[in-house]
Amino acid sequence: MKRILRTSAALLAAMTIALGSSGVHSAELKKVAISTIVEVPQLLETRDGVIKGLAEKGFADGKDIKVDYQTANGNLPTQQQISKKFVGDGVDVIVAITTPTAQAMASVTTTIPIVFATVTDPVKAKLIPQYKAPGGNITGVSDAAPIAEQLKLFREILPKLKKIGFVFNPGLDSSNATLERLRDEAKPLGISIVEAAAPTANEVIPATKKLTGNVDAIYIPNDTTVVAALETVVKIGQETSTPVFTGETRGVDRGAVASMGLDYIEVGRLAGHMVAEILKGKKPGEIDAVVAYQQMPNFVVVVNKGAATAMGTAIPDAVLKRATRVVN
Amino acid sequence: MSLYEFLGTVEVGLIFGLVALGAFISFRILDFPDLTVEGSFPFGAAVASVLIVSFGWNPWPATLAAVGAGFLAGFATAYLNVRFNILHILSGILVAISLYSINLRIMGGSNKPLLGAHTVFTSVQGWGVPAYFLSPVLLAVIVVVIKVALDLFLHTGVGMNMRAAGANPAMAAANGINVGRMKLVGLGMANALTALAGALFAQSFGSADAHMGIGVIIIGLASVIVGMSILPVRTITQATIACLFGALLYRFAVAFSLNADFLGLKASDVQLVTALLVVVTLVSQSSRSGMGKLLKRRA
């Protein structure tokens, strides 16, 4: 009995502290709540971009608004608790980074505005019915890759490109979506896609090896599982003279030949601008949801000369000329 | 912490109470370290959400189907162990990893949204009571009914045999109890509860996700251990109460960490704070003077 009493006392104390803490925030500032499912570079860049975008529109954190950031540490039940916390705290706008985060937020509120970012296919995720004037309390930014443009770039570097190997984790919806779009965009160019599934980082090596000799190049999408083992793929590419391309530009610094497009700070900035509009009184349902790359007039093109040589190819001068950044 | 967050925490805690009851059956009753749950939790979620969204099923039979699916998953693990003598831990791992692929097949992708769908929670909405209040009430009813049913079952002849099979398999076998059959039924039950938790969680979360299972086993086990170290567990009834209490306490530890920013903690520290709270609970309860001893040694 003593034990129960003591435990209850400890519990009560913990709850009192927890309850008391909610009163710390100052009441006047508008509250913008941001959450991610895990802390990986592209999601943190998105978050930083949101804060940057808000500041550009006159909402500086700590001065004009109060930003509350929470990560679920990869744990969906925790994500659910975070969504309840945000609603309970009565925040003014929620920024949800990634699909499950946005779904968790959407399941708990139909009134608090939600701006999603880094969600590849928000319509399929049932967050919004359509991009144009989505209605309801949700809008945001998709991070779908500019695949058609990427393919054109790869063709420019490898004019004889006929077969692309695609290494991906079939457990990630964004990768499946990329594969589907890659197939559609490659068809008119006469390029075929050979899939190699790697459900975990350990399976990246056999999946890549299976492709070599059978394809002209390898494409690695924005796939957290495969990108984690990118150096391994690069090594195999060098050993077998198979050029490796990536869906995100950061991969080029790690040894891929080239990539173009998405900058996650930009994805976040666009979302931040939407949040600013909402804070100024616009309804989220009246703000069109957008695909990030369609809003960026100049694609970032990053190429790696050293990597190209190591993989038995060269980067044409025309590409070098328009490259935003050249890694040696 | 707001009332809304409090009720939300109770909601998640009750759902994981079912996982804790499952872990209690496999780990405590059967003494079988069952890792199947990492697969059966999202399995239940996948089955229920696909039946609801793609097949237009009523959420209640869809949830019941998830329970059946979970039973089959646990049965498969026990079958690998009993029939083919595959090590218990490995059997669970094998079933869990194959369920990952199966879940992707079932859902046709890694995420199946349930937003806007008719769920067990929307089916009880109305009567002028807000949803955030009704959901935990509904869950409490479900969890209490299952807890009482489990208590009653464990006092029946079969239940007694199951407890004996786990406590002392050799003695149980000598007394004519089919230990293998007890494992098949027991693990089936444990994973049926986990799959039910998965199905309910998906309906509350807004989607089923292939990565939902990550960490479920740890949460389940921590709940059982914490609950049992705090509350007295002389009877089965007390033990199952302890499991549910542990699951709720774990969720409150997470909620506390989410609100602990005033301590100068970062968002990414949540897991660490949660783990520390569990450790503190265990240490302070492990022996009557555990904390006292630590302090004395210092002096």
Side-chain angles (χ1 to χ4, degrees):
Chain A
M1 201 56 206
K2 229 178 190 175
R3 282 208 299 182
I4 305 174
L5 279 175
R6 200 167 43 173
T7 313
S8 318
L11 249 182
L12 259 174
M15 273 164 58
T16 317
I17 296 169
L19 280 165
S21 71
S22 59
V24 174
H25 309 295
S26 65
E28 300 88 50
L29 295 182
K30 291 244 183 191
K31 281 184 263 184
V32 175
I34 308 178
S35 187
T36 62
I37 187 88
V38 281
E39 294 203 328
V40 294
Q42 65 193 48
L43 303 185
L44 291 176
E45 280 172 19
T46 309
R47 177 200 64 185
D48 295 344
V50 170
I51 295 169
K52 195 175 159 197
L54 271 163
E56 284 167 3
K57 299 282 174 184
F59 294 98
D61 180 21
K63 213 173 109 220
D64 314 297
I65 50 166
K66 169 97 185 62
V67 172
D68 181 13
Y69 166 70
Q70 298 283 356
T71 172
N73 293 282
N75 203 303
L76 264 60
T78 306
Q79 185 73 75
Q80 175 82 332
Q81 284 186 259
I82 291 171
S83 67
K84 304 266 183 182
K85 171 180 160 58
F86 284 170
V87 174
D89 287 350
V91 301
D92 296 285
V93 184
I94 294 172
V95 181
I97 299 171
T98 74
T99 304
T101 306
Q103 286 169 333
M105 300 299 164
S107 74
V108 292
T109 178
T110 51
T111 49
I112 298 175
I114 298 171
V115 175
F116 61 79
T118 314
V119 169
T120 306
D121 193 341
V123 175
K124 198 179 154 219
K126 295 230 174 119
L127 292 167
I128 49 170
Q130 75 278 334
Y131 280 85
K132 198 137 189 68
N137 63 323
I138 308 176
T139 187
V141 185
S142 156
D143 68 337
I147 288 176
E149 299 294 329
Q150 288 184 339
L151 281 174
K152 275 184 215 153
L153 174 73
F154 304 159
R155 227 331 146 50
E156 234 178 306
I157 296 170
L158 295 175
K160 285 185 206 149
L161 184 60
K162 281 269 172 241
K163 263 184 171 181
I164 293 183
F166 186 77
V167 190
F168 72 116
N169 177 356
L172 296 172
D173 260 358
S174 60
S175 297
N176 290 316
T178 309
L179 175 62
E180 220 169 279
R181 286 196 37 234
L182 190 65
R183 276 214 197 94
D184 292 347
E185 304 281 1
K187 219 179 215 164
L189 297 172
I191 298 173
S192 60
I193 309 297
V194 186
E195 309 169 25
T200 70
N202 296 329
E203 277 136 296
V204 172
I205 298 177
T208 313
K209 286 201 169 149
K210 200 187 85 187
L211 288 173
T212 53
N214 188 26
V215 296
D216 306 313
I218 291 171
Y219 178 88
I220 307 293
N222 291 353
D223 179 310
T224 41
T225 308
V226 185
V227 169
L230 187 62
E231 277 77 10
T232 320
V233 180
V234 166
K235 191 167 158 271
I236 297 171
Q238 289 178 353
E239 283 167 3
T240 58
S241 292
T242 315
V244 176
F245 297 109
T246 51
E248 53 168 359
T249 50
R250 212 180 307 105
V252 182
D253 296 287
R254 293 171 60 188
V257 172
S259 179
M260 90 187 313
L262 281 189
D263 176 344
Y264 279 91
I265 296 269
E266 285 299 310
V267 174
R269 264 187 71 218
L270 289 171
H273 292 168
M274 288 178 175
V275 177
E277 280 188 60
I278 293 166
L279 289 174
K280 282 175 185 159
K282 211 163 175 189
K283 286 200 171 70
E286 294 165 359
I287 302 171
D288 292 346
V290 297
V291 178
Y293 78 82
Q294 290 170 351
Q295 308 295 311
M296 300 175 197
N298 299 314
F299 289 121
V300 189
V301 177
V302 184
V303 293
N304 189 328
K305 272 166 100 174
T309 316
M311 291 172 187
T313 180
I315 295 166
D317 286 339
V319 176
L320 283 175
K321 247 179 224 157
R322 69 187 177 98
T324 322
R325 201 152 58 80
V326 178
V327 184
N328 280 307
Chain B
M1 191 192 283
S2 60
L3 176 69
Y4 189 87
E5 186 184 359
F6 178 85
L7 290 171
T9 307
V10 171
E11 191 177 323
V12 183
L14 284 168
I15 292 176
F16 277 85
L18 295 172
V19 177
L21 289 178
F24 171 69
I25 297 174
S26 46
F27 282 83
R28 284 291 164 127
I29 301 274
L30 285 170
D31 197 20
F32 190 112
D34 177 28
L35 302 184
T36 322
V37 290
E38 299 257 321
S40 57
F41 186 80
F43 189 36
V47 168
S49 60
V50 165
L51 288 176
I52 293 169
V53 177
S54 308
F55 291 83
W57 278 38
N58 178 289
W60 291 102
T63 306
L64 209 62
V67 172
F71 188 91
L72 289 179
F75 193 88
T77 298
Y79 195 79
L80 288 179
N81 174 251
V82 173
R83 177 74 177 74
F84 302 115
N85 276 321
I86 296 176
L87 184 69
H88 41 29
I89 293 185
L90 184 60
S91 306
I93 292 173
L94 290 171
V95 174
I97 58 175
S98 49
L99 279 175
Y100 180 79
S101 298
I102 292 169
N103 290 337
L104 292 180
R105 280 271 179 180
I106 294 174
M107 296 193 288
S110 76
N111 186 287
K112 193 82 191 167
L114 276 157
L115 295 171
H118 187 48
T119 68
V120 293
F121 299 107
T122 58
S123 68
V124 295
Q125 261 169 32
W127 316 320
V129 188
Y132 66 86
F133 188 75
L134 268 183
S135 299
V137 169
L138 171 69
L139 281 169
V141 171
I142 293 174
V143 170
V144 167
V145 166
I146 287 174
K147 180 229 173 296
V148 171
L150 182 62
D151 291 346
L152 291 175
F153 167 78
L154 289 171
H155 285 98
T156 62
V158 183
M160 292 290 198
N161 287 352
M162 190 179 283
R163 286 155 68 185
N168 191 336
M171 183 69 92
N175 281 291
I177 295 169
N178 188 331
V179 175
R181 192 175 295 163
M182 287 303 132
K183 283 190 194 170
L184 289 166
V185 176
L187 281 195
M189 282 168 54
N191 285 283
L193 288 175
T194 310
L196 171 62
L200 292 171
F201 182 72
Q203 293 176 61
S204 144
F205 186 80
S207 73
D209 197 283
H211 305 97
M212 256 176 173
I214 299 170
V216 165
I217 184 68
I218 299 166
I219 299 170
L221 257 187
S223 305
V224 172
I225 295 168
V226 167
M228 289 197 166
S229 73
I230 290 177
L231 295 183
V233 283
R234 279 178 292 273
T235 64
I236 286 288
T237 314
Q238 287 177 342
T240 48
I241 288 177
C243 290
L244 299 178
F245 178 76
L248 281 165
L249 188 64
Y250 188 92
R251 270 11 278 194
F252 274 100
V254 172
F256 170 79
S257 329
L258 290 177
N259 287 292
D261 49 344
F262 64 97
L263 294 173
L265 291 164
K266 278 173 61 181
S268 52
D269 295 334
V270 169
Q271 301 280 75
L272 179 66
V273 175
T274 313
L276 275 177
L277 282 171
V278 171
V279 169
V280 168
T281 318
L282 290 177
V283 170
S284 63
Q285 303 292 341
S286 60
S287 71
R288 201 163 268 274
S289 53
M291 279 303 221
K293 266 186 203 158
L294 275 177
L295 291 172
K296 257 184 208 158
R297 222 175 287 156
R298 281 260 177 90

